[in-house]
Amino acid sequence: MKPRSIYRCLAVGLLLGLPGPAGYVLGDVTLPRILGSGMVLQRDLPVPVWGWAGAGEKVVVSFAGQSRSVKAGEDGRWMLRLDPLKASVEAASMVVEGDNRITLDNILVGEVWICSGQSNMEWRLIQGMKGKEEVAAAKHPEIRLFDVPGHTTSPLPREKGAGNWKICNPRAAGGFSAVGYFFGRRLQKELGVPVGLVGSNWGGTRIEPWVTQAGFESVPELSGLAYQVKQYQTTTRVGGSSPSAIYNSMVHPLTPFAMRGGIWYQGESNGNEGISYYHKKHALVNGWRKAFQNKDLAFYWVQLANFQGENRKPVGGDGWAKLREAQTRALDIPGTGMAVITDIGAANDIHPRNKQDVGWRLAQWALHQTYGRKDLVPAGPLYKGQEIEGDSIRLSFDHVGKGLMVGRIDGLEPTSEVKDGKLEHFAIAGDDKEWFWAEAVIDGDNVVVRSADVPRPAAVRYGFTMNPARANLYNREGIPASPFRTDNWPRPSENLEWIAIADQTPPNSVPGSGTELVILNKLAVKVKVYWVPYGGGLRFYGELAPGGTRKQNTYSSATWVITDEKDKPLGYFRTTKKRGIAAIPRQ
């Protein structure tokens, strides 16, 4: 290598924070770990290939009869795109040449998906139902696995990450995401092309650490989180709950690797939320689509399973009911879908062991919507509308398929119809908002609901509770209906009591049950809203213009601080278990 190249690459290496001479030869072309031997490249889309080299160094990439060249920028970065490739099961090699030569072997072309979320996505194949048998049978050389190792964070997006591609065999598959594996196995079998699965997961995490800064900025309701992330510097201390911090370390190094889509299983750690999770789901999808440079990136998620003891009160609304409602509402994002699994959870286990049906139902969406299998019904019945007919309410649904039925699932056996069975877990109410358990019957493609206690009905709720253990509406394809409610009635509200800030520090927030907060700015000037996190301090939430209103699902014991535009405190208040309304100024 020429001396000039050595000095040039040393500068670039220092700029990027790369290891010194003991780690690699200065000036050599290097690649991200996601570009490696054994990988699967995405078919039918332009394929980005990128890396680092000396400033101005010419890089040539050759693959499948194509040859493209590019010069590295002054910062040492380079990127080019190969033309769309056709699916291929024949192992091929990619050659990357600069001042050095890199050869990547055993490359296939097919479909690539990222599998991400918290512990239910991270749950390993060996840990699920029939784990040993499934691992022993996991011999699929046309499926390749890339697992991002460890649990790491970063205040700013990282250029380089860790991980390696592995051929799907028992040794590699046993520690991989069970949901991801079953999803990919079905795709590979039905599409007949290679499948690449990229796992990036962290148990117990909220959605915010997985969202990009651009994702937060794309949703006005999340301006406070966008502002917080925008303030990060290289020295900012972040952890597993810090917004964008996991994305920056565990997803950004994968971008912009060409992928068809992503599957997502997360929400338990945001389980007290409602509409705010809907906004965050939009931010997640928007941000990832931008980061992977694919506006059509498919995105399919898992609705939370049934969990904990059954609530026998017909009003429901407890626990994860509103979180599931937010997940369902987020289906208004184009190119998305949701696997409903409220029939395969366990009251005493937040980690359902049946991951086979979860992966199968996610694949059902992908096969129908992404791969054009219109003969497949993508999901179970989704509530569409209601008509009041005297003392009854008639419900209509999307995704009825071959018809509705009372169903039951037992372990890994296919869903079976319960002959002469009765629909359960339907509740009905009139305008007085008093809820009663109801009689529900299937009438063609509709369900008709009534109760002798409600002669003039107004709304219906189905499975709208933490554990809808008795919910049993399915389509004949064997996929369960999603829980829903036809009303949008809020819980009773109360005006929240304000406390003046003198020399005292507002109390910490303490995690508790969920509630809804409404903040009204009746002043003629803009105000700032801060949240006191558990552990103390202030976290900027957002600004409220004169006459502005903000709604937020929050803890029932959270503390909120209001200041004027110049950060002069106006006071603080605490939320309660009821729906709270805070009017500014104090009343």
Side-chain angles (χ1 to χ4, degrees), residues 13-220:
L14 293 174
L15 177 66
L16 296 176
L18 301 177
Y24 70 106
V25 179
L26 294 175
D28 281 358
V29 172
T30 59
L31 300 172
R33 299 299 289 269
I34 190 66
L35 293 173
S37 293
M39 66 180 167
V40 175
L41 293 177
Q42 177 61 49
R43 65 171 172 171
D44 299 337
L45 291 177
V47 176
V49 181
W50 72 99
W52 304 268
E57 184 174 345
K58 183 180 179 181
V59 178
V60 180
V61 176
S62 302
F63 181 75
Q66 299 186 45
S67 181
R68 300 284 185 274
S69 65
V70 66
K71 285 189 177 181
E74 288 302 314
D75 58 1
R77 296 180 177 89
W78 58 268
M79 178 184 290
L80 53 78
R81 283 180 170 80
L82 300 175
D83 291 338
L85 305 164
K86 295 300 181 182
S88 175
V89 297
E90 295 185 12
S93 297
M94 176 183 290
V95 176
V96 182
E97 294 183 281
D99 287 352
N100 58 305
R101 177 187 176 98
I102 298 173
T103 301
L104 306 179
D105 296 314
N106 195 15
I107 299 171
L108 308 181
V109 181
E111 294 296 315
V112 184
W113 289 76
I114 185 170
C115 317
S116 189
Q118 58 179 112
S119 56
N120 270 307
M121 182 63 84
E122 190 173 33
W123 206 254
R124 296 177 297 157
L125 180 61
I126 189 63
Q127 296 173 293
M129 280 188 176
K130 295 187 176 180
K132 292 183 178 179
E133 296 94 322
E134 294 286 8
V135 169
K139 302 172 183 176
H140 306 286
E142 293 178 14
I143 297 177
R144 306 294 172 82
L145 309 174
F146 183 100
D147 215 1
V148 175
H151 298 147
T152 60
T153 62
S154 174
L156 300 178
R158 283 182 174 168
E159 294 285 337
K160 291 192 173 185
N164 293 287
W165 284 97
K166 298 178 181 179
I167 297 174
C168 182
N169 55 38
R171 183 174 181 179
F176 194 76
S177 162
V179 170
Y181 169 79
F182 291 123
F183 171 81
R185 185 180 70 177
R186 185 178 179 201
L187 289 191
Q188 197 281 321
K189 179 180 179 181
E190 300 211 18
L191 298 175
V193 301
V195 169
L197 301 172
V198 180
S200 183
N201 315 283
W202 186 338
T205 53
R206 295 172 61 84
I207 191 173
E208 296 90 333
W210 296 94
V211 178
T212 70
Q213 178 182 330
F216 286 129
E217 291 172 344
S218 71
V219 180

Side-chain angles (χ1 to χ4, degrees), residues 409-487:
I409 188 170
D410 184 14
L412 297 178
E413 294 298 318
T415 304
S416 59
E417 181 178 7
V418 180
K419 299 293 185 181
D420 300 321
K422 293 184 178 181
L423 290 175
E424 297 192 60
H425 228 303
F426 282 86
I428 195 166
D431 288 329
D432 60 1
K433 302 178 184 177
E434 293 291 326
W435 290 91
F436 297 86
W437 291 119
E439 172 192 352
V441 296
I442 295 171
D443 184 15
D445 289 342
N446 303 141
V447 171
V448 178
V449 186
R450 64 172 62 87
S451 170
D453 295 308
V454 186
R456 289 182 293 276
V460 170
R461 291 181 175 181
Y462 170 72
F464 191 64
T465 183
M466 181 75 173
N467 186 355
R470 293 173 293 114
N472 58 357
L473 176 62
Y474 288 75
N475 58 22
R476 293 190 174 276
E477 282 72 15
I479 312 176
S482 173
F484 64 89
R485 60 172 175 158
T486 70
D487 67 283

Side-chain angles (χ1 to χ4, degrees), residues 517-529:
L517 169 66
V518 179
I519 306 177
L520 311 173
N521 182 14
K522 296 185 176 181
L523 293 176
V525 297
K526 182 164 53 177
V527 298
K528 294 181 178 179
V529 182

